[in-house]
Amino acid sequence: AVVSTQSGHYGRGYSPIGIFFLIAGQFAGVENFGEMVAQLGLYVVTVLVGIAIHFFIILPSIFFAFTRSNPIPYYYNMLPALATAFGTASSSATMPVTLKCVEEKNGISMRISRFVIPVGATINMDGTALYEAVACLFIAQVNGISLNFGQVIVTGLTATLAAVGAAGIPSAGLVTMVMVLNAVGLPVDMLAVILTVDWFLDRFRTMTNVMGDALGCAVVQSMCSKELAEMDQDTELQMVGEKS
């Protein structure tokens, strides 16, 4: 155990150096460095716009469709969890704050939150799925590879399935992205270019993942409101019976 811990410590210590040379080697082979930086900037903007549409339009629409409630107060009450998600870039590390926000501020039953949030932190990676799909399209365009309609569909489906298997830790999406790239025959070595901006984009997609989990709690509670009320009534009757 001590040897394993020390090995991991030294590995983490030298990893920034290895990543630097990996990225430098990839950029050294680029003929037009300015064009590559411009393309990378457009990629960042595309990912942020996609995440913003999902975060501010799609997720609130789903919330309203099921709960018939104003999503703005719900979002406001989730600000501590979103700030933690942005700072840690980890759904798992944010989980305690997420549970506190949904239970104490948004009134979600513990019976719902204690099931949905842990499962969602592992499976519900909507922000990661969006990020991986856009990253694959970016890599294809940079290399001058034209993807047909079928390959685009495969990219989207594979990104969704790969995101389900991603761990709730920083930059976990880069590991599963290898599978997505291989599915459509794109060069894996281009991930070195993605690394330069992944640390920044990872924070926004983690915020999206966390908010998706929180809104999922509200949707489940709305769908199971009758069952929860019946359970509460049965519990009260049982307590009255025990007292009498």
Side-chain angles (χ1 to χ4, degrees), residues 166-217:
I169 59 176
S171 299
L174 288 176
V175 179
T176 57
M177 197 184 298
V178 175
M179 182 175 65
V180 183
L181 293 174
N182 288 328
V184 290
L186 295 176
V188 179
D189 57 350
M190 284 297 295
L191 283 177
V193 177
I194 302 295
L195 274 172
T196 58
V197 294
D198 180 75
W199 63 272
F200 176 71
L201 296 176
D202 190 17
R203 303 177 186 278
F204 291 95
R205 66 177 186 258
T206 302
M207 292 173 62
T208 305
N209 295 339
V210 169
M211 181 53 70
D213 299 341
L215 295 178
C217 289

Side-chain angles (χ1 to χ4, degrees), residues 24-25 30 33 40-41 45 52 55 66 72-73 77 83 127 130 132 141 144 184-185 205-206 211 223 226 230-231 242:
V30 176
F33 180 77
L40 196 60
V45 172
F55 190 90
F66 282 92
I72 295 178
N77 292 333
L130 187 152
E132 291 186 357
Q141 291 178 353
V184 290
R205 66 177 186 258
T206 302
M211 181 53 70
M223 296 176 64
K226 293 183 180 179
E230 292 176 358
M231 291 175 62
E242 291 178 353

Side-chain angles (χ1 to χ4, degrees), residues 97-114:
V97 185
T98 305
L99 288 170
K100 182 177 181 180
C101 289
V102 297
E103 293 172 1
E104 298 181 4
K105 296 186 176 182
N106 285 321
I108 302 297
S109 172
M110 291 177 60
R111 291 167 293 183
I112 300 294
S113 61
R114 298 303 169 97

Side-chain angles (χ1 to χ4, degrees), residues 7-24 195:
S7 300
H9 176 72
Y10 286 119
R12 289 190 298 269
Y14 287 106
S15 60
I17 301 176
I19 293 173
F20 170 78
F21 283 105
L22 180 67
I23 296 173
L195 274 172

